[in-house]
Amino acid sequence: MKPTFATPDEVSLQQFRALAAIAQTGSFTLAADALQLTQPAVSHLIKRMEQQLGQPLVVRGRRIRLTDAGQMMADTAQRALRMIDESVHACRSQAQLQEGRVVVAVGHLTAGALLPALLTRFSAAHPQLVATLHDSNAAQMVAQVLSREADLALGSDIGQTHSELATERLFSERMALFLRHDHPLALRASVQGRDLDGLPLVHVNPDAVVWRAISRELSAAANVYPQVVHHVSMLTTAFGMIQAGAGVALLPRYVARLMPPDLRAVPIVRPVLEFPIVAIRLAKQPLSPAAMAFLAMARQHLKPSLV
């Protein structure tokens, strides 16, 4: 009967381990001990492997040695098993949060005001994990998650415009009017929507979907349509323009912790305007263990204390 030759996927990992152990120990008995198998079991694995490959791999006798084919297979097995074992160890370490990395795209408003405290808490809880943050505007957050440059994103709501993405609301912050300390409204305990009529607004991150909802709220409740005089991307730029008297800004209250001392943040009532913060991820792509740990901590600790 002609031998039945094996394709590469028919030679088992256990057979490779047996051959590699024989090459290392020079003995079926010692190989069996290393693999925690019986000597007959190891012998059977090698015999079956020889049948599958169509030639002898081990010369049996008082002194065990490998044939040229056996040595070639053993060398290959040792290299492959080393890589497999390293990969298995890495996967287990990642699953146990002993190593890993998470990349998070963060909206400009959220990055400076909320992420430092969250990142400090995350590093203290998981010192073996590396978290990298990318300051981003709304469009950049979406692009980085879609391209897998970032594992997830944290920032303002993006709406339902991307079927590939899943969003999860983490919390909503109430809006305030940010203005210079000498502005006529600066000493108010609160302002109403109608007080915004005619005010020159500095619009931060205008591509964010949330601004459309805020505009609808103001027009419906107070018949006010914001008069935007400047569009900027960075919070620091908006603060500088307010300091220079170029306008005022509608911003979530939590950024007040970053504002210069000569600015004021006055809560807005009637209507109450909210700025939702969401986590964004690929809908059909599982998060890595490190990213899951970061998201779990964001769910628990990202919401700011009142300012």
Side-chain angles (χ1 to χ4, degrees):
M1 178 182 296
K2 293 183 178 180
T4 301
F5 297 121
T7 58
D9 59 343
E10 291 175 332
V11 177
S12 70
L13 185 61
Q14 193 175 34
Q15 288 172 315
F16 279 118
R17 289 195 183 278
L19 184 62
I22 291 170
Q24 291 172 339
T25 64
S27 164
F28 277 84
T29 301
L30 294 177
D33 290 342
L35 298 173
Q36 297 184 335
L37 297 172
T38 65
Q39 189 274 334
V42 172
S43 181
H44 175 75
L45 288 171
I46 298 303
K47 184 175 181 180
R48 177 60 180 158
M49 192 177 186
E50 290 173 328
Q51 291 173 343
Q52 291 171 318
L53 296 175
Q55 61 176 306
L57 303 175
V58 178
V59 178
R60 294 154 176 82
R62 286 190 174 182
R63 181 173 174 273
I64 299 297
R65 64 180 180 85
L66 301 183
T67 65
D68 290 345
Q71 189 63 58
M72 176 185 69
M73 292 295 293
D75 291 343
T76 300
Q78 288 169 344
R79 291 194 300 270
L81 290 170
R82 187 179 305 112
M83 295 176 64
I84 290 170
D85 290 342
E86 289 172 355
S87 297
V88 169
H89 174 76
C91 285
R92 286 175 176 165
S93 295
Q94 290 167 10
Q96 296 166 1
L97 300 180
Q98 295 174 351
E99 64 176 271
R101 180 171 181 261
V102 55
V103 179
V104 186
V106 187
H108 290 314
L109 298 182
T110 307
L114 300 183
L115 262 292
L118 179 64
L119 186 58
T120 299
R121 187 184 293 267
F122 181 76
S123 297
H126 305 291
Q128 303 91 340
L129 303 182
V130 176
T132 300
L133 306 184
H134 292 172
D135 289 356
S136 311
N137 60 34
Q140 289 169 339
M141 286 196 311
V142 169
Q144 289 178 57
V145 174
L146 288 173
S147 66
R148 301 189 184 182
E149 294 176 64
D151 298 292
L152 66 152
L154 301 176
S156 63
D157 197 356
I158 62 170
Q160 303 298 321
T161 55
H162 297 275
S163 59
E164 309 98 314
L165 299 177
T167 61
E168 173 188 342
R169 181 173 291 202
L170 300 177
F171 71 94
S172 290
E173 176 66 293
R174 295 177 68 172
M175 302 291 286
L177 182 65
F178 285 70
L179 31 71
R180 207 163 67 175
H181 69 97
D182 57 355
H183 192 281
L185 298 176
L187 297 180
R188 295 266 195 97
S190 64
V191 295
Q192 299 185 22
R194 63 172 179 263
D195 296 323
L196 306 180
D197 192 27
L199 291 181
L201 289 181
V202 178
H203 201 180
V204 184
N205 198 5
D207 294 332
V209 173
V210 64
W211 296 122
R212 292 198 288 271
I214 288 174
S215 295
R216 288 194 298 268
E217 287 273 353
L218 287 172
S219 61
N223 197 31
V224 168
Y225 298 87
Q227 178 185 338
V228 177
V229 293
H230 297 288
H231 296 274
V232 301
S233 297
M234 303 298 293
L235 180 63
T236 51
T237 305
F239 285 157
M241 298 191 77
I242 297 171
Q243 287 177 300
V248 299
L250 286 174
L251 295 166
R253 289 186 305 171
Y254 60 72
V255 303
R257 67 189 61 189
L258 300 178
M259 70 180 179
D262 58 342
L263 300 189
R264 300 290 182 268
V266 183
I268 299 173
V269 299
R270 299 181 189 175
V272 171
L273 304 177
E274 293 195 339
F275 190 90
I277 296 297
V278 301
I280 307 166
R281 55 181 290 184
L282 288 173
K284 297 182 179 180
Q285 177 71 23
L287 290 175
S288 68
M292 283 295 294
F294 192 92
L295 179 55
M297 186 156 287
R299 290 177 181 134
Q300 185 176 2
H301 297 291
L302 187 61
K303 185 174 182 178
S305 57
L306 294 179
V307 295

